[in-house]
Amino acid sequence: MNLKCFGSILVVIILSFSSTLLSKEDNHHYILKNANLVKIDKIENDTITTLKGDVDLIYNDIEFFADNAQIFQKDRKVKLFGNVRAIDDTLEAGAQKATYFHKNAILKLEEDAYFIENSLHTLQKKVTADFIEYQKENKKMRALNNIVATDFVEGVVCTCGKFRYDMDTDYGLARDDPVLTFQRDNELKIYSKQMELFAKDKKLTATYDVKVETKDTYATSNFLIYFNDQEKAVMLGNPQFESSLSTATAEEFQVFFKDEKIHQLLLVNNAVIHFKEEESIGKENYLYAEKVRMEINNDKIIYMQARNVSRSFFEQRENEDILINKLATLQLEVFFDEGENIKTIIAEDDINGTYTFTSSKKILEK
């Protein structure tokens, strides 16, 4: 055995022995598994152990890896620098700088900070941020600035300025302009002032200034709850839907998604829709009803079903002819073509209204 190896083993034995003494007096200890250089300095009222090169250290049952580290005996803390990693059972965290405080069992990470929960029972969750704090005893984590949180709800990425996560309850809270992006073929985003992620229940809520945005449509409200398994969102608080050819309001929206696009929109209580045909100037057509179901394909309405229609106005253009329907009815169906032009209108039960046919040719002949 060469002298260098012998010296390293001797230092480890001395440190392990001294740390055992500390554990009896101060109820904490560390185990040094590896370091290229170990230096112990006794200063006023404290002892500082400096570790350099390939540091592998177990402190309060957390295994730390870093380029360099310092252990402060009196303050009961460890500072780590360069490619820091910390492993605590199924949790892993890392950064370029880190400090672990034994007294409060808190790990603080700065610069390229990340946190990973790799549980056998749930999806792997990951957070990256400028700053992350991990509370070992409370099983809580908080992050600040430039945050990206993935898979707290499957296939969903959350970006925000502040984020908190409780590992015992699988609950996450995102603030400071959070944005949810669904990681699939088509882009769907949800914006709001605050979001709550319920990982166990596979759902999330968004509050204040909520906006659901697809390529060619968007919907807004004050509150949203999204159920991931059903690919369904409920929007409350003045919900509104907008596309290039239609607008809609009601007391409640139920939004169903398919391939990250709005597939079906259910308007509940006091539903109002204004829409137009592609060549029209404004959204002249309208519909007022108790409940309306809209089916949407490629961000365009293909079908509409309404109940308890109090009033409606439909203008159909066929070549040079104009057909106008004004009616109230219990049941109404409207079919659209690929350009969102009205093809067919079917009304049933208690029909009241007028039907007008105008020929542009006849008007010109006169």
Side-chain angles (χ1 to χ4, degrees):
M1 178 183 295
N2 61 43
L3 290 176
K4 184 178 179 181
C5 292
F6 178 76
S8 298
I9 294 172
L10 182 61
V11 168
V12 173
I13 292 171
I14 291 170
L15 289 174
S16 298
F17 176 70
S18 64
S19 65
T20 303
L21 293 177
L22 285 171
S23 68
K24 291 179 180 178
E25 295 173 4
D26 300 321
N27 193 30
H28 80 105
H29 67 278
Y30 64 86
I31 298 171
L32 178 60
K33 296 178 72 175
N34 189 76
N36 295 338
L37 177 66
V38 179
K39 181 184 175 186
I40 301 175
D41 294 307
K42 284 194 173 286
I43 61 173
E44 188 178 352
N45 298 323
D46 205 352
T47 299
I48 301 174
T49 302
T50 302
L51 310 172
K52 292 188 176 182
D54 297 325
V55 176
D56 184 350
L57 168 73
I58 297 176
Y59 191 91
N60 194 26
D61 297 325
I62 301 176
E63 186 165 10
F64 293 97
F65 301 87
D67 293 340
N68 304 297
Q70 285 184 307
I71 303 168
F72 296 81
Q73 179 178 320
K74 181 184 176 183
D75 292 338
R76 301 203 301 175
K77 69 180 181 183
V78 181
K79 288 186 175 182
L80 304 108
F81 310 92
N83 301 307
V84 180
R85 283 197 304 138
I87 297 175
D88 184 17
D89 194 19
T90 60
L91 305 175
E92 178 182 336
Q96 292 305 311
K97 295 180 183 179
T99 304
Y100 181 75
F101 301 87
H102 184 282
K103 182 179 179 180
N104 299 318
I106 290 176
L107 173 64
K108 295 185 177 182
L109 304 122
E110 300 177 71
E111 294 183 21
D112 301 325
Y114 72 87
F115 179 89
I116 297 172
E117 184 183 30
N118 206 357
S119 171
L120 294 173
H121 306 293
T122 60
L123 290 169
Q124 183 189 84
K125 303 177 184 69
K126 183 176 181 179
V127 176
T128 60
D130 291 345
F131 173 85
I132 292 176
E133 179 182 280
Y134 165 53
Q135 301 171 15
K136 177 178 170 65
E137 299 302 324
N138 295 333
K139 291 291 183 184
K140 293 180 180 179
M141 181 275 296
R142 72 181 183 97
L144 296 173
N145 302 329
N146 296 312
I147 297 160
V148 179
T150 56
D151 278 339
F152 285 80
V153 175
E154 184 178 0
V156 176
V157 176
C158 177
T159 59
C160 59
K162 294 179 181 178
F163 188 78
R164 292 180 179 271
Y165 177 56
D166 187 325
M167 280 152 268
D168 285 335
T169 59
D170 262 0
Y171 169 79
L173 175 64
R175 287 178 173 168
D176 280 13
D177 301 322
V179 179
L180 291 181
T181 304
F182 289 70
Q183 285 187 311
R184 292 158 194 155
D185 294 335
N186 299 296
E187 190 170 272
L188 169 68
K189 289 189 174 184
I190 300 176
Y191 303 81
S192 73
K193 294 297 183 184
Q194 174 179 293
M195 294 182 183
E196 296 177 282
L197 310 177
F198 302 87
K200 281 183 181 177
D201 298 325
K202 299 180 181 179
K203 69 179 183 181
L204 61 90
T205 64
T207 312
Y208 310 119
D209 298 336
V210 180
K211 183 178 182 181
V212 179
E213 185 179 82
T214 66
K215 182 182 177 182
D216 296 313
T217 67
Y218 68 87
T220 60
S221 69
N222 291 324
F223 177 79
L224 173 146
I225 181 168
Y226 177 80
F227 303 92
N228 199 47
D229 283 348
Q230 301 174 49
E231 293 190 85
K232 172 188 174 181
V234 176
M235 303 181 73
L236 300 168
N238 192 30
Q240 299 183 45
F241 171 84
E242 182 91 29
S243 74
S244 61
L245 300 181
S246 60
T247 59
T249 62
E251 292 181 17
E252 176 185 327
F253 281 2
Q254 294 180 22
V255 190
F256 298 85
F257 301 92
K258 184 177 181 181
D259 300 325
E260 291 65 66
K261 290 186 176 183
I262 297 176
H263 169 63
Q264 190 178 112
L265 181 61
L266 189 64
L267 286 65
V268 182
N269 294 330
N270 297 319
V272 179
I273 301 172
H274 291 268
F275 57 97
K276 68 174 183 176
E277 296 193 342
E278 221 162 14
E279 297 177 359
S280 300
I281 297 172
K283 296 172 182 176
E284 299 92 351
N285 297 314
Y286 58 79
L287 173 67
Y288 290 73
E290 178 188 339
K291 189 174 184 179
V292 177
R293 177 166 63 91
M294 299 165 58
E295 291 188 6
I296 300 167
N297 186 34
N298 291 323
D299 295 326
K300 293 185 177 182
I301 302 172
I302 59 171
Y303 174 75
M304 187 186 298
Q305 183 186 53
R307 285 174 50 191
N308 291 336
V309 178
S310 59
R311 59 192 174 106
S312 65
F313 177 92
F314 300 102
E315 183 180 275
Q316 295 174 263
R317 296 176 180 270
E318 294 181 3
N319 298 320
E320 296 176 344
D321 297 328
I322 300 173
L323 295 82
I324 295 175
N325 273 296
K326 295 181 180 180
L327 56 87
T329 181
L330 289 180
Q331 302 285 343
L332 180 70
E333 290 182 288
V334 185
F335 297 83
F336 300 83
D337 63 18
E338 293 179 356
E340 285 190 293
N341 299 310
I342 298 170
K343 284 185 1 182
T344 307
I345 299 171
I346 301 173
E348 295 182 17
D349 300 328
D350 290 340
I351 303 168
N352 293 295
T354 59
Y355 174 84
T356 306
F357 173 81
T358 304
S359 174
S360 300
K361 277 186 178 181
K362 289 182 178 179
I363 293 172
L364 289 172
E365 286 172 1
K366 288 181 181 179

